[in-house]
Amino acid sequence: MDKIKVMSVFGTRPEAIKMCPLVKKMREYEQIESVVCLTGQHREMLQQVIDIFQVKEDYNLHIMKPSQTLTSITTDVLTLMGPVLEKEKPDIVLVHGDTTTSFAVALAAYYQQIPVGHVEAGLRTYDKYAPFPEEMNRTLTSRIADLHFAPTEANKECLARENIEKNVFVTGNTVIDALQTTILRDYKYKSPELIRILNDMRERILLVTAHRRENWGQPLRNICEALCEIAERYEDVAVIYPVHLNPKVRDTVFEILGNRERIHLIDPIDVEDMHNLMAKSYLVVTDSGGIQEEAPSCGVPVVVLRNETERQEAIEAGTVRLAGTDKKKIFREISALLENQEQYDRMAEAINPYGDGHASERIIRAILQYFGVR
Ligand code: UD1
Ligand code: UDP
């Protein structure tokens, strides 16, 4: 066989953070011709990542619309992916995780009978509405995929429970590959807003992100109100919250948390700023999936603004706690970690169940093996 043509397709910030290390690694393999297609489900937040990792796309479908719907993302990706796949005829398409981009691209490839490799396979909560629509996106992607790259043994077991046992490879998570290049000892921040905030900061940093669909509306209001009370109660704590660009999120967050003492609302920061800020934070409070993997690796405890998580490894290791979206419960969980040093220290032990930073190489070797190429 000539070179294997691998088309990596992604469209949102977290997919890009976890796919770019793999795309870069593929450049080192002469047996592989790597093609990159962005769906453009995100725009600025995607560009920030691509620029940092210096990945150049071959295609960008530019599908993002303000306040886009799940239907528009799915149908636009399906419609626009077809001609790209027909032109490029890749030997395999790689998708990542659980976004609507991932599922729709997998489906588009399946319609042309092109094998699909699923990076970050086998994460499950078994609740189809939490996270929504991610749980269904990844479950359906697993049904379509031919190769499954599971970050952990537990993820492999989840796939086995669904009778998916062929071509499942435990690889670690490529987020650890990414972290190894982004976190630096004498890191210099780039965001002028962040530099200004960090200048002379004496308080303990509470790094917050919240944007999930199932938290829009009242749950997000509860989260914001709990954060207000934390900032009022603890004068030695400052909240830094890079707010997602979605207007549905921004409207609520700025209404409740805008112009408050020791609460800093900033625009999304690039991944290098984010990872280094995370490493220097006292506590992370988030509904993000990826941050639940990153913070434990940095030895920073995480309060998760969800009722369930697909990242059970971090729960078992004790660095992540579920607070859900009840205002009182969120306040209690954060407050306990601000006040109780013993509890904090127990959670702050750095653990990394997600691999050794060589996930990309394992994924590439599995692809070569699948195609019978040395
Ligand atoms: C998407 C994913 C979610 C992932 C998240 C990462 C789906 C259904 N959801 O959710 O799994 O956790 O990305 O952040 O696939 N926007 C901009 N600029 C950007 C990005 C977004 O303005 O660069 C705004 C747009 O108005 C857009 C809206 O945010 O319509 C929502 O974006 P969307 O991708 O639909 O939802 P996310 O909540 O980002
Ligand atoms: N992130 C970032 N800048 C920000 C906020 C988050 O680079 O301002 C990174 C974060 O470190 C993690 C990823 O984005 O790697 C998480 O993305 P998000 O929370 O949007 O999606 P999820 O992981 O929930 O799918």
Side-chain angles (χ1 to χ4, degrees):
M1 166 170 213
D2 292 337
K3 286 180 181 240
I4 305 164
K5 191 188 267 195
V6 181
M7 183 184 272
S8 306
V9 192
F10 46 96
T12 67
R13 171 175 66 191
E15 291 165 76
I17 291 171
K18 292 164 166 181
M19 286 297 276
C20 282
L22 175 58
V23 168
K24 284 186 82 167
K25 190 47 96 181
M26 279 196 277
R27 290 182 194 150
E28 295 173 19
Y29 289 75
E30 59 183 17
Q31 309 93 317
I32 288 180
E33 179 188 349
S34 166
V35 180
V36 174
C37 175
L38 307 178
T39 64
Q41 177 177 336
H42 283 177
R43 195 166 44 208
E44 305 86 336
M45 287 163 53
L46 177 65
Q47 197 59 46
Q48 277 183 327
V49 185
I50 305 293
D51 289 345
I52 296 280
F53 287 98
Q54 296 172 319
V55 164
K56 183 90 194 75
E57 76 271 24
D58 300 284
Y59 297 89
N60 190 335
L61 308 181
H62 292 294
I63 65 157
M64 198 195 91
K65 299 183 186 110
S67 301
Q68 60 205 4
T69 63
L70 297 176
T71 307
S72 78
I73 303 170
T74 311
T75 52
D76 287 353
V77 168
L78 269 179
T79 309
L80 297 172
M81 233 12 254
V84 175
L85 293 172
E86 266 163 35
K87 175 162 177 262
E88 284 294 332
K89 298 194 170 32
D91 296 302
I92 182 166
V93 167
L94 297 184
V95 297
H96 181 278
D98 55 19
T99 68
T100 297
T101 279
S102 322
F103 164 60
V105 170
L107 188 58
Y110 166 72
Y111 284 162
Q112 299 198 23
Q113 300 190 17
I114 298 168
V116 172
H118 187 197
V119 181
E120 198 177 274
L123 281 67
R124 296 288 186 269
T125 61
Y126 301 106
D127 177 344
K128 71 181 190 182
Y129 292 114
F132 172 80
E134 289 79 6
E135 179 70 6
M136 195 46 69
N137 281 343
R138 58 192 170 213
T139 307
L140 295 172
T141 303
S142 290
R143 289 252 63 89
I144 293 172
D146 302 270
L147 281 83
H148 312 263
F149 306 111
T152 66
E153 285 293 337
N155 302 143
K156 181 180 172 182
E157 283 161 25
C158 288
L159 292 171
R161 258 177 249 139
E162 294 166 20
N163 295 323
I164 298 172
E165 292 182 285
K166 208 171 140 200
N167 294 324
V168 178
F169 304 89
V170 177
T171 59
N173 196 311
T174 53
V175 77
I176 305 298
D177 304 19
L179 277 176
Q180 290 188 346
T181 64
T182 51
I183 297 189
L184 300 173
R185 197 179 289 273
D186 294 314
Y187 182 74
K188 299 266 179 299
Y189 290 90
K190 286 166 275 174
S191 153
E193 236 180 332
L194 192 56
I195 293 169
R196 189 178 43 74
I197 293 166
L198 292 178
N199 201 15
D200 291 331
M201 161 116 41
R202 300 253 178 282
E203 295 94 353
R204 293 183 280 179
I205 299 172
L206 209 72
L207 177 60
V208 176
T209 79
H211 68 83
R212 303 222 72 79
R213 263 186 163 73
E214 64 273 21
N215 284 345
W216 292 353
Q218 194 55 47
L220 186 56
R221 300 189 79 84
N222 298 346
I223 292 167
C224 291
E225 284 166 13
L227 291 170
C228 267
E229 288 185 14
I230 289 287
E232 276 166 20
R233 171 78 66 90
Y234 297 94
E235 287 187 359
D236 68 332
V237 169
V239 171
I240 303 182
Y241 183 168
V243 190
H244 193 292
L245 294 180
N246 191 344
K248 291 204 169 79
V249 174
R250 291 178 87 82
D251 289 352
T252 309
V253 172
F254 279 89
E255 180 201 318
I256 303 175
L257 295 180
N259 297 317
R260 288 189 179 260
E261 232 180 300
R262 284 176 281 103
I263 297 188
H264 305 282
L265 303 180
I266 59 175
D267 281 339
I269 49 181
D270 77 36
V271 60
E272 287 177 337
D273 274 3
M274 182 65 182
H275 284 173
N276 286 281
L277 179 62
M278 194 182 301
K280 97 190 233 111
S281 293
Y282 184 81
L283 186 64
V284 170
V285 179
T286 188
D287 67 2
S288 159
I291 293 175
Q292 293 176 59
E293 295 153 349
E294 294 165 345
S297 304
C298 302
V300 181
V302 188
V303 171
V304 178
L305 305 165
R306 304 191 191 179
N307 294 316
E308 41 212 333
T309 181
E310 59 289 79
R311 270 88 177 173
Q312 280 301 331
E313 298 83 358
I315 297 271
E316 278 156 28
T319 45
V320 160
R321 263 189 205 177
L322 297 182
T325 54
D326 176 76
K327 182 171 141 186
K328 289 206 180 88
K329 176 127 203 286
I330 297 169
F331 181 88
R332 262 203 320 274
E333 291 290 358
I334 297 176
S335 170
L337 290 166
L338 291 173
E339 288 186 17
N340 187 326
Q341 192 64 42
E342 207 183 302
Q343 269 192 43
Y344 180 88
D345 289 344
R346 244 184 288 129
M347 279 186 83
E349 232 164 82
I351 57 115
N352 169 15
Y354 299 108
D356 55 3
H358 295 283
S360 300
E361 282 152 58
R362 290 196 189 89
I363 291 168
I364 294 167
R365 282 208 300 271
I367 295 171
L368 295 178
Q369 182 191 320
Y370 178 79
F371 285 100
V373 173
R374 275 167 183 270

